[in-house]
Each structure stands twice: as C-alpha cells, then as structure tokens.
Amino acid sequence: MTFCFDNQFLQRFPDLAHTQHPAGFTKAQAVILNTGLRDELSLPYTDQQLTAIAAGQQLDPAMAPLAQKYTGHQFGHYNPYLGDGRGLLLGEWQTGSGRFDLHLKGAGPTPFSRGHDGRAVLRSSIREYLAGEALFALGIPTTRALAVTRGDLTVYREQPEQGAMLLRVAGTHIRFGHFEYCYHRGKAGDLKELVNYVIDTQWPDLKNLPLAEFFQRVVERTAKMIALWQVYGFNHGVMNTDNMSIIGETFDFGPYAMLDRYQPEFICNHSDTTGRYRFSEQPSVGLWNLNCLAQALSPIIESEQLVASLHTYTKVLQEHYWEKMTGRLGLSDSVMGRDIVRRWLKLLDESGQDYNLSFRRLITALRDSPETLPANLKTNANFSLWLRDYLNLLETEASDKAQLLAQMESVNPLYILRNYLAQQAISAAEDNDFKPLQRLAEVLRKPFSEQDHAEAYVAEPPDWGRHLQISCSS
C-alpha cells in the first residue's frame, strides 16, 4: 500500500493557490494529540513530530503548504475577498484506501487575511477539536483534528488570549466558495477542472458519468449532513457558502452549539443578530447555499439538470431525517411514526425539556415506569394522550422489548458536547491543565454507551452554562 503526499491542488490550480510556509511558534506545547486518528490515517509521525508539524515548526519535506483562494456568500451577501486568511493546506495525504487534506489553522497571515493577524486562539482551537470528535462519534460527516498546540504569543480578540494552532483533517478543503470564485471571475476552465479534481480525489465512481451527477451527489451529501444536524441538535452558527464543504462534511466550526433545552428557534451565534442561521433554518439555508453553487456551476452544467437536482434536496433531507428520528423513538418511518415524533418534540418544547437527555430518560421510563419522567413533562396536558398513542404503536411494531431498548440506546447519545463542558475544559487548559480536555474527548468518543465515572458529563448545564455567549470569534 502506497502512502505519500501528492499535492494535486497546487499542481492543478496554481492561480487559486499562494504558496508560503507557516509562521510557526518559537516555543510550542502539545495541548492534545489525536494519536488514534494519526494511526487510522497511517501517518508516520511520532508524538514529537506531530507536535512540531501542528506548531508550524518542522514540516514533512514532502508537504507543499499553500493558502487557497475562494469567495462566498456571508450572511447572504457575496464577498469576493475571501480565502485562507489564517490557515494553510500543508499537503494532500494519499493512501491506498483514500486521501485526506492536512490543514494548519492559525498559521499566520496570508494575502487573504484582509488585515487580520492570521492567528487562532486556544479557546476556538479546543472547541473545533472537540466538535470534530463529538460529531464523528455521532455518525455525522465532519472534519476532525489531529492536534492542538499552544504557542508563545498573545492573540487579541475581544480580549487578549493564548495563541494556538489546530492541525485539521478533511477529505478535501474544497468549498462551495471555490466554485463561486471561478464563476464570478469567468474561469469556466477552472470550474470544470475543480469538478474533475473532486471526482478524481473523492468520488472516482463518477468519473465517466455526466457532470450533472456531480452536483446531484453534492446535493444528496449536503442534505444528509444537515438532516443529521437536525436529528442530534447541532447548530452550526455560520452557514456561509465559504463554510460549506463540497463533499458534505461539517466544516469550519465557529460559534456552534448542541441544543441543551429543545428550542427550534435557538440561535447559537451571538453575532447572528437576525437569526439567519438559527437551528430551525439550517435545512432551508442549506438549499439556499446549494442554489448559489448551482449558479456557479451553470456555465458547465445545464440549468434544467441543476434545477432537477435542487428539487431532490428536500425529499432526501426529510427522508433521512425521519428515518433517524423515528428510529430514536424505536419506531419505523411511517405516517404514524412521524406524527408521534412531531408531538414528542412539541412536548419537549412546551415543557422546556433537555433535547437529547429526554430520549434517554424515555428509554429509562420504558424500562422501569413512565413515572420516572420529569414532572413538568408529565403534567403537560397532551402528555398522557401522546404516551398512550406511542405505547400502542410500539406494541404493534416491536415484539422484543429488551432488543427495542438496546436499539434505542444505540442511537440516542447519553453524552453530548455541551458548551459548558467545552468551556470547563478550555478554562483548565488555559491554566495549563489538559486532563479535563483529554477526559472530555475520551467520553465524547463513546456517546451511546454508559461509561464508568462519567456521571458529570450527563448533567444538564448549570445556569451560567445556559447563558454562554458564543460569537464568530469562537
């Protein structure tokens, strides 16, 4: 099996790349290393070498670091000045079973930094590391991180913070915004070559098919990713088109949050004053972004084919969503099953229940007695009727109760990445204690199975944890 860096992007798109070396830390400390992911990717680095790469100090000679140029729609407005302003694509790692980009975030200013410092802070780097691990364990397509390092510099955001770097892994770093840039600059040749590049490196099964199949694949992958966000209560917070991965991976974590209480209109991003990217709007924003991509691809794919694919988005998303959501309640995807789910979510909303924890509490109630459910849920005027209808439907669909409850536990997480847990790990790391971060990451990697000595990670947030303000600088 061959392992190497082939760095095709630089070879094929010199006009979309600015080569430069990272501005590494003079002194660096490993905050957390994802040695399991390193081994999965067959990367031949020791802990010391991985730390040096993640601090921009000593790269693999086969790497070819570069900043990519792209554009995108930010909060609905086209911005032509975007690009990798604080990160560098270090190299494209090729294995016999797949390929991955290694990207260093916080590596210093580039020509696309728009006057900013090109740095990352420890707080946001830890949040991205944890998010990647948490979503991956939930089965949500996502980028991940190999390492977080801390450096000997101060970075200024709302206040002075510790500088850090994050070594990110993605199938590809090609965004919707790459295609938008080529479209708005009249680069039809690069548009088609970008499509071919993604097909060659990610989806070789599309190689001899019409280009319209490429867009259909993007639509389906995006729809399924966002469906899973809605299933597990993930709010991205900044769904700009430059933050949308062309292969449907959760990308560019910023002011994200997992729902605590079930609030469909929840806004996780303090900077999102209009609520454009609130939880309930994510499916429609995904379609809006795909329309932007369709426009960008219109010089090389017929409009009728693009429109036909866009019309499949809602169907794919809803089918994937309902299959997973009815499964969370142990039901098959049916008209009655969907009605039970809708009524359950309405009950959670009206009674202020914790979203994911309520499913686990329901499993406990089914195993023992419905009386174990929270009082403010049971006293809802609609609860008794819902419970009767739910139990009746369960009885017609499931013959083995033990098997049913085990199946429900396998798709309903007990441990999720709550903002207050992330903040506790960040505060400890800022005081040079990395054990809480390492322990939290360990727990999040097994979200569905009860773990020893992990009771603290199940608890609903304290009052201060419900009022954390997360902004685009996060």
Side-chain angles (χ1 to χ4, degrees):
M1 186 176 294
T2 301
F3 303 94
C4 65
F5 285 102
D6 65 8
N7 304 321
Q8 286 191 34
F9 185 86
L10 179 59
Q11 299 165 22
R12 296 168 72 164
F13 305 100
D15 292 343
L16 305 183
H18 173 80
T19 59
Q20 72 176 68
H21 202 81
F25 294 139
T26 303
K27 297 179 181 178
Q29 181 181 22
V31 176
I32 190 166
L33 300 178
N34 198 338
T35 56
L37 179 57
R38 175 192 61 191
D39 296 342
E40 288 174 30
L41 301 181
S42 301
L43 288 164
Y45 306 126
T46 65
D47 289 0
Q48 184 177 5
Q49 290 170 326
L50 186 59
T51 300
I53 292 170
Q57 294 177 321
Q58 186 67 50
L59 302 187
D60 187 317
M63 293 175 174
L66 60 90
Q68 295 181 332
K69 173 60 185 171
Y70 46 83
T71 59
H73 282 79
Q74 298 187 310
F75 288 88
H77 302 285
Y78 182 68
N79 185 343
Y81 304 111
L82 303 178
D84 286 334
R86 59 172 175 164
L88 297 174
L89 175 62
L90 298 183
E92 300 167 62
W93 180 244
Q94 174 71 48
T95 76
S97 57
R99 57 182 292 121
F100 306 89
D101 284 355
L102 299 187
H103 186 275
L104 189 59
K105 196 169 182 179
T110 76
F112 315 122
S113 297
R114 294 177 288 160
H116 298 293
D117 59 20
R119 293 297 185 180
V121 298
L122 184 61
R123 167 176 53 100
S124 61
S125 300
I126 287 175
R127 282 175 53 81
E128 178 158 348
Y129 183 98
L130 290 170
E133 294 306 284
L135 267 60
F136 178 77
L138 290 172
I140 301 175
T142 182
T143 56
R144 298 172 71 189
L146 275 164
V148 174
T149 60
R150 182 171 64 180
D152 53 341
L153 81 163
T154 300
V155 176
Y156 294 88
R157 294 295 181 258
E158 285 90 349
Q159 58 188 9
E161 298 192 52
Q162 298 176 23
M165 292 192 197
L166 177 133
L167 184 57
R168 180 165 62 189
V169 176
T172 181
H173 277 76
I174 302 300
R175 312 154 185 261
F176 287 17
H178 281 88
F179 297 89
E180 290 184 277
Y181 172 73
C182 292
Y183 170 77
H184 287 283
R185 294 297 297 269
K187 294 176 173 287
D190 278 343
L191 265 178
K192 188 170 183 179
E193 184 61 15
L194 270 172
V195 172
N196 289 334
Y197 169 79
V198 176
I199 290 174
D200 291 344
T201 60
Q202 302 298 316
W203 299 329
D205 61 303
L206 300 182
K207 196 169 184 64
N208 297 315
L209 298 179
L211 292 182
E213 294 299 322
F214 167 81
F215 185 63
Q216 181 63 36
R217 178 71 58 84
V218 176
V219 169
E220 291 175 357
R221 293 287 290 264
T222 302
K224 290 179 179 180
M225 174 187 70
I226 295 175
L228 288 172
W229 289 0
Q230 304 306 113
V231 166
Y232 286 114
F234 175 76
N235 191 189
H236 184 282
V238 191
M239 289 178 65
N240 298 331
T241 58
D242 57 296
N243 292 338
M244 297 293 291
S245 161
I246 199 67
I247 61 172
E249 290 184 334
T250 311
F251 195 51
D252 271 0
F253 295 98
Y256 70 83
M258 298 291 292
L259 293 183
D260 291 316
R261 289 176 180 166
Y262 181 66
Q263 303 174 70
E265 303 308 306
F266 177 69
I267 302 170
C268 69
N269 182 359
H270 181 60
S271 308
D272 186 6
T273 55
T274 65
R276 177 182 177 85
Y277 297 137
R278 63 189 181 271
F279 177 71
S280 64
E281 285 299 301
Q282 292 184 140
S284 62
V285 172
L287 181 57
W288 194 95
N289 289 344
L290 284 165
N291 272 274
C292 292
L293 179 62
Q295 180 185 31
L297 292 171
S298 60
I300 60 172
I301 301 176
E302 293 293 332
S303 296
E304 292 81 2
Q305 295 173 316
L306 294 168
V307 171
S309 289
L310 289 171
H311 283 163
T312 69
Y313 169 83
T314 299
K315 182 175 185 290
V316 172
L317 187 148
Q318 289 189 351
E319 286 180 348
H320 202 58
Y321 173 81
W322 285 115
E323 177 190 1
K324 300 296 183 181
M325 283 300 293
T326 52
R328 292 193 72 177
L329 287 180
L331 303 170
S332 62
D333 182 7
S334 65
V335 172
M336 294 178 65
R338 293 184 182 190
D339 180 63
I340 290 293
V341 171
R342 289 191 187 96
R343 292 163 60 191
W344 168 248
L345 294 179
K346 190 170 187 291
L347 286 169
L348 299 186
D349 186 18
E350 292 175 345
S351 57
Q353 297 301 305
D354 187 272
Y355 179 53
N356 282 295
L357 200 52
S358 290
F359 286 86
R360 295 294 295 216
R361 287 170 172 161
L362 180 62
I363 295 170
T364 300
L366 292 173
R367 180 173 286 118
D368 301 325
S369 167
E371 283 69 38
T372 61
L373 289 168
N376 57 341
L377 175 62
K378 293 185 297 181
T379 55
N380 184 289
N382 297 312
F383 175 76
S384 295
L385 180 59
W386 173 85
L387 183 63
R388 185 199 68 186
D389 293 345
Y390 172 52
L391 293 177
N392 286 341
L393 186 56
L394 269 186
E395 188 174 351
T396 65
E397 293 194 357
S399 57
D400 188 322
K401 184 177 181 180
Q403 184 179 24
L404 168 71
L405 297 179
Q407 182 272 328
M408 290 176 66
E409 286 181 338
S410 72
V411 295
N412 285 297
L414 183 59
Y415 310 101
I416 63 166
L417 179 54
R418 300 179 186 271
N419 266 340
Y420 88 96
L421 294 174
Q423 186 56 50
Q424 288 176 335
I426 290 166
S427 297
E430 288 174 338
D431 289 334
N432 210 39
D433 180 5
F434 304 142
K435 289 182 179 179
L437 169 60
Q438 294 163 354
R439 175 58 175 153
L440 177 56
E442 178 185 6
V443 169
L444 292 172
R445 291 187 183 111
K446 298 178 181 179
F448 302 107
S449 302
E450 190 168 347
Q451 302 175 45
D452 293 337
H453 313 297
E455 297 82 3
Y457 301 96
V458 179
E460 295 185 44
D463 186 64
W464 67 265
R466 295 189 186 279
H467 300 97
L468 287 170
Q469 292 191 339
I470 311 297
S471 69
C472 285
S473 71
S474 301

